[in-house]
Amino acid sequence: MTDHALLKRMLKFRSDPKNRSPHAQFVGMELVDIDRDRGTVRIPYAAALAGNGETGVLHGGVITAALDSACGFAVAAAFAQQVRIATLDLRIDYLKPATPGAAVLASGHCYKVTRHVAFVRGLAYHADREDEPIANCTATFMITPYAAGAGPAESPMEQPAPVAEPGALP
């Protein structure tokens, strides 16, 4: 389920060129869904992103970038206000090659937040999460609050404020 207010806030934040990843732009990555402690991105298929020109299978780095971004969005979505995050660790199990010609989706779920670290699980797949996944991951992210006056003008803060305990049932 999409949190439309959060999606609008994220898209507005990403509309500023300094908040966009050049690599994400190059691969055509788009944020397609975001909700409390969850995020999903999509990368459309492009032959230029293939790791093997003969088979047309996407390069593993494209899948890695999608999972890292989806997990990062999940962490950002776990907070009521903006925080700075950085990937500390990302472990990926590749389960099958991506299907040539098909877009790849990656979803992340931030299931635990401590004072300085967020823990996330992710999944890369094609059209349906229930399909056989392409890859899964676990990740940790460092959380750094914006100091008063040092962060984005629209949301300075002193301490990160989680929306709710990630993974908690509504």
Side-chain angles (χ1 to χ4, degrees):
M1 175 181 279
T2 301
D3 179 331
H4 294 286
L6 181 57
L7 180 60
K8 184 176 178 181
R9 188 180 89 200
M10 286 289 182
L11 293 175
K12 181 178 188 282
F13 176 79
R14 293 189 68 217
S15 69
D16 184 339
K18 75 178 187 288
N19 297 328
R20 283 188 247 145
S21 158
H23 181 264
Q25 287 182 277
F26 176 77
V27 300
M29 187 182 306
E30 58 184 321
L31 176 62
V32 294
D33 192 27
I34 195 159
D35 200 1
R36 186 191 63 193
D37 68 31
R38 297 179 186 273
T40 302
V41 299
R42 180 182 182 275
I43 297 180
Y45 180 81
L49 302 177
N52 181 329
E54 289 182 26
T55 65
V57 173
L58 286 180
H59 190 282
V62 175
I63 307 298
T64 299
L67 284 165
D68 188 32
S69 294
C71 289
F73 280 119
V75 172
F79 290 89
Q81 294 178 306
Q82 291 177 335
V83 293
R84 290 178 291 198
I85 62 172
T87 307
L88 292 173
D89 183 56
L90 179 66
R91 184 192 184 295
I92 299 175
D93 292 316
Y94 291 95
L95 306 172
K96 73 171 193 172
T99 303
V104 170
L105 289 112
S107 294
H109 172 221
C110 180
Y111 63 91
K112 175 74 174 168
V113 175
T114 67
R115 184 173 174 177
H116 298 289
V117 180
F119 298 86
V120 190
R121 294 182 190 104
L123 193 65
Y125 52 95
H126 288 298
D128 187 355
R129 279 186 62 96
E130 302 306 315
D131 290 343
E132 185 179 346
I134 299 164
N136 63 38
C137 76
T138 57
T140 54
F141 286 79
M142 178 175 63
I143 304 161
T144 307
Y146 284 108
E154 60 273 7
S155 64
M157 59 183 285
E158 296 194 14
Q159 290 294 328
V163 173
E165 177 63 27
L169 296 173

